[in-house]
Amino acid sequence: MLHCMARGIKNVVISPGSRNAPLTISFTEHSYFECYSIVDERCAAFFAMGMAQQLKTPVALLCTSGSALLNYYPAIAEAYYSRIPLVVISADRPAYKIDIGDGQTIRQKNIFANHIGYSANLMQDTDHAYAEWKDLVSDSIPSQEAVQAYNDNELNSALDICMLEKLPIHLNVPFEEPLYNKIPHTVVNPDISPLKREASIKVDMGHFEESWQKHPRKLVLVGVLSPHFLNAEMVNFLGGDPSVVVLTETTSNLHHANFFPSIDSIVAPVEKQSDREIVFEKLGPDILITLGGMVVSKKVKAFLRKYKPKEHWHIGGHMAHDTFFAGVQHIKIPPSDFFGNLEKMPTVGKTSYFDRWKSHKERYKSARREYLDRIGFSDFKAYSILSKQLPRDSQLQLANSSTIRYMQLFDIDSSIQVFCNRGTSGIDGSVSTAIGAAVVSQRPTVLITGDLSFFYDSNALWNAHIPASFRIVLINNGGG
């Protein structure tokens, strides 16, 4: 608890249980913490993730021992791939009571090893229930000082990674009974180290500046991105260069009149042309620059895997994925710094790259208007209507599968902030994430979801924290 306070971790989502009672009492009875009670652990984890998604700071999760902890896994995997910081705290049985037939006991140590930033398996407090421990175990019992030093070191290491790397971490805490006895004051004086500073990174821009100036076909592909990630100057720079084409998605939260949203609507018609090979060759980039997280469009992935760029640069972030099998250079400085350097370079001579993409964009927009005018009510028509009715300055949360893919096809007002769980792209947890986000957002929140995703996560509504400004639009097409 004191380690969380020192790091400014204020919000705690708790699922009730017995083994976690000591921690539940500590958090709920301290005025510093804002605690939320969510019974269903899977919903609780996505609820916490929605909060952390908006706050950009860690949110703590607390559950009892046993299978309760396993229900956190879908949200932990999503947080891992979406780089959302969660502090997962699980109560556990003492180590000497694992695999001896005690109830509500599983192997919790390193249980999330493949999808976690750090696993801290804390040592049991020796001052509590010492007599029973000594009576049951023949091994030597460590001193309380040794236990405290070990635990403090683990907690400091784990929380540093959570805050600096923006990853979920797991703190596994063993407790021996009795669990509910209280003491009048804190007897622990933890050794809390200050948060480590991120090392400054310098990049030699020589090669990138030369390539930028040399190549007439530069494609910027933007995946999941936080609102206001790029400043207006950089947006205008990218939107005003005729050698640059910027492809965005609904989750990119990036808008300019010269950008190209609805990627699939541009690529799909070209796939049906008899001269598609020639057209795609001309649309292919010399340099591909990627920003942000996961990309939804399957068509742009297929296009860039076949018509590979000469170079692929990923700017900023903690990871760079070689999504297009072209080799990727990870440039670990903020995109505003990177593009700020390129902005000073002379522009490429005459190029038709932007105009070529623009002609395909205008063609699909005209064809889509004609199509929407003549079709009857359908999924496509419903999403077209919805995209125009969303309130300005709101937050839009999108479920996965058909919902995110349909919404990719339509323009959304630039005042609306858009979010979707694209780390693992699962249908589970969309409602819980949206409610958690709505709780801490200053904007009214709208969730658009399909029927399967909604009913799969219907326990998300089983809590007392849903704000009055939260709305759900359910597209119920009977499972497709």
Side-chain angles (χ1 to χ4, degrees):
M1 181 189 75
L2 296 177
H3 278 268
C4 287
M5 281 182 64
R7 305 289 187 180
I9 300 168
K10 189 178 182 68
N11 294 285
V12 187
V13 180
I14 303 172
S15 293
S18 293
R19 189 64 49 171
N20 61 334
L23 289 168
T24 299
I25 293 168
S26 297
F27 281 117
T28 56
E29 294 194 358
H30 199 292
S31 59
Y32 176 80
F33 295 101
E34 191 74 36
C35 296
Y36 301 84
S37 177
I38 308 282
V39 175
D40 185 317
E41 283 87 3
R42 188 182 71 185
C43 294
F46 279 107
F47 179 95
M49 197 189 74
M51 295 177 73
Q53 173 200 83
Q54 296 298 306
L55 295 170
K56 302 291 187 294
T57 57
V59 172
L61 272 166
L62 174 59
C63 74
T64 191
S65 63
S67 59
L69 178 60
L70 296 176
N71 288 291
Y72 282 167
Y73 212 147
I76 288 171
E78 175 63 36
Y80 180 80
Y81 285 110
S82 290
R83 290 280 171 166
I84 295 176
L86 293 177
V87 178
V88 179
I89 308 171
S90 58
D92 198 1
R93 294 302 204 262
Y96 52 83
K97 289 190 174 178
I98 306 299
D99 287 337
I100 65 163
D102 256 19
Q104 207 171 344
T105 305
I106 64 172
R107 298 170 188 171
Q108 295 180 200
K109 185 177 181 180
N110 301 328
I111 201 165
F112 305 119
N114 288 330
H115 302 97
I116 205 78
Y118 194 95
S119 295
N121 300 285
L122 304 188
M123 294 175 67
Q124 182 182 340
D125 175 31
T126 58
D127 283 348
H128 180 69
Y130 176 83
E132 180 171 358
W133 188 352
K134 185 177 180 182
D135 188 48
L136 292 174
V137 181
S138 58
D139 298 340
S140 60
I141 297 174
S143 68
Q144 181 61 28
E145 290 76 15
V147 169
Q148 187 66 47
Y150 174 84
N151 287 348
D152 283 339
N153 183 64
E154 286 291 279
L155 289 167
N156 286 325
S157 298
L159 291 167
D160 274 352
I161 285 174
C162 181
M163 302 193 78
L164 295 176
E165 299 291 328
K166 304 299 181 186
L167 286 171
I169 60 166
H170 178 208
L171 313 177
N172 194 51
V173 190
F175 287 104
E176 182 57 276
E177 297 179 17
L179 301 168
Y180 294 92
N181 294 356
K182 291 201 239 179
I183 55 176
H185 54 82
T186 302
V187 295
V188 175
N189 294 305
D191 180 12
I192 301 172
S193 64
L195 181 66
K196 293 178 180 176
R197 293 183 179 273
E198 288 188 274
S200 60
I201 298 172
K202 292 184 178 180
V203 173
D204 182 356
M205 290 292 296
H207 167 73
F208 305 111
E209 291 171 349
E210 182 182 341
S211 293
W212 183 269
Q213 189 178 3
K214 170 184 171 184
H215 291 294
R217 299 190 298 179
K218 298 181 279 284
L219 185 67
V220 178
L221 176 60
V222 188
V224 175
L225 210 60
S226 298
H228 313 301
F229 188 82
L230 279 185
N231 61 39
E233 183 182 357
M234 292 303 103
V235 170
N236 289 331
F237 161 61
L238 292 173
D241 189 328
S243 70
V244 176
V245 167
V246 180
L247 303 183
T248 65
E249 300 202 300
T250 303
T251 50
S252 300
N253 290 295
L254 209 57
H255 303 272
H256 189 278
N258 288 341
F259 288 176
F260 295 79
S262 193
I263 301 167
D264 287 355
S265 297
I266 301 174
V267 176
V270 178
E271 291 176 336
K272 298 179 180 180
Q273 294 181 205
S274 58
D275 61 344
R276 58 183 173 274
E277 298 287 341
I278 296 170
V279 174
F280 276 136
E281 284 283 0
K282 292 179 179 179
L283 293 177
D286 299 318
I287 300 173
L288 171 67
I289 300 109
T290 52
L291 302 174
M294 303 295 189
V295 172
V296 176
S297 172
K298 292 182 179 179
K299 292 190 179 298
V300 81
K301 291 175 189 174
F303 162 57
L304 290 170
R305 285 169 183 171
K306 184 170 183 180
Y307 303 93
K308 296 182 190 294
K310 295 181 176 70
E311 297 184 56
H312 174 194
W313 310 337
H314 184 80
I315 317 301
H318 295 276
M319 297 179 70
H321 298 292
D322 190 14
T323 306
F324 312 104
F325 303 96
V328 60
Q329 292 177 270
H330 190 188
I331 303 163
K332 300 180 183 180
I333 59 174
S336 56
D337 294 348
F338 181 79
F339 291 122
N341 283 311
L342 298 180
E343 187 182 19
K344 303 165 189 172
M345 303 299 298
T347 56
V348 171
K350 189 175 180 181
T351 173
S352 59
Y353 193 52
F354 173 84
D355 290 336
R356 189 173 289 121
W357 275 90
K358 186 179 179 181
S359 68
H360 288 283
K361 176 182 177 180
E362 294 303 325
R363 202 173 302 148
Y364 98 73
K365 287 178 75 173
S366 174
R368 186 173 61 180
R369 280 193 298 269
E370 294 175 10
Y371 179 68
L372 283 167
D373 285 343
R374 70 172 186 267
I375 64 171
F377 192 71
S378 59
D379 277 5
F380 193 70
K381 189 84 167 183
Y383 281 98
S384 172
I385 295 168
L386 256 180
S387 64
K388 298 181 182 70
Q389 299 299 320
L390 296 166
R392 284 180 55 81
D393 299 310
S394 60
Q395 176 192 146
L396 176 62
Q397 292 275 340
L398 297 173
N400 270 305
S401 195
S402 63
T403 299
I404 181 63
R405 297 193 183 280
Y406 272 120
M407 290 304 290
Q408 290 280 90
L409 303 177
F410 300 99
D411 293 338
I412 292 176
D413 189 272
S414 61
S415 71
I416 298 170
Q417 298 182 353
V418 185
F419 301 89
C420 181
N421 291 346
R422 293 305 299 174
T424 61
S425 308
I427 68 165
D428 47 352
S430 297
V431 186
S432 297
T433 302
I435 294 172
V439 165
V440 294
S441 176
Q442 301 300 312
R443 294 167 168 246
T445 300
V446 178
L447 166 69
I448 301 178
T449 178
D451 48 301
L452 288 179
S453 186
F454 173 77
F455 291 117
Y456 194 80
D457 194 28
S458 57
N459 267 4
L461 304 176
W462 180 26
N463 71 76
H465 309 297
I466 303 172
S469 60
F470 179 66
R471 297 287 184 272
I472 299 175
V473 179
L474 172 60
I475 308 294
N476 190 343
N477 62 6

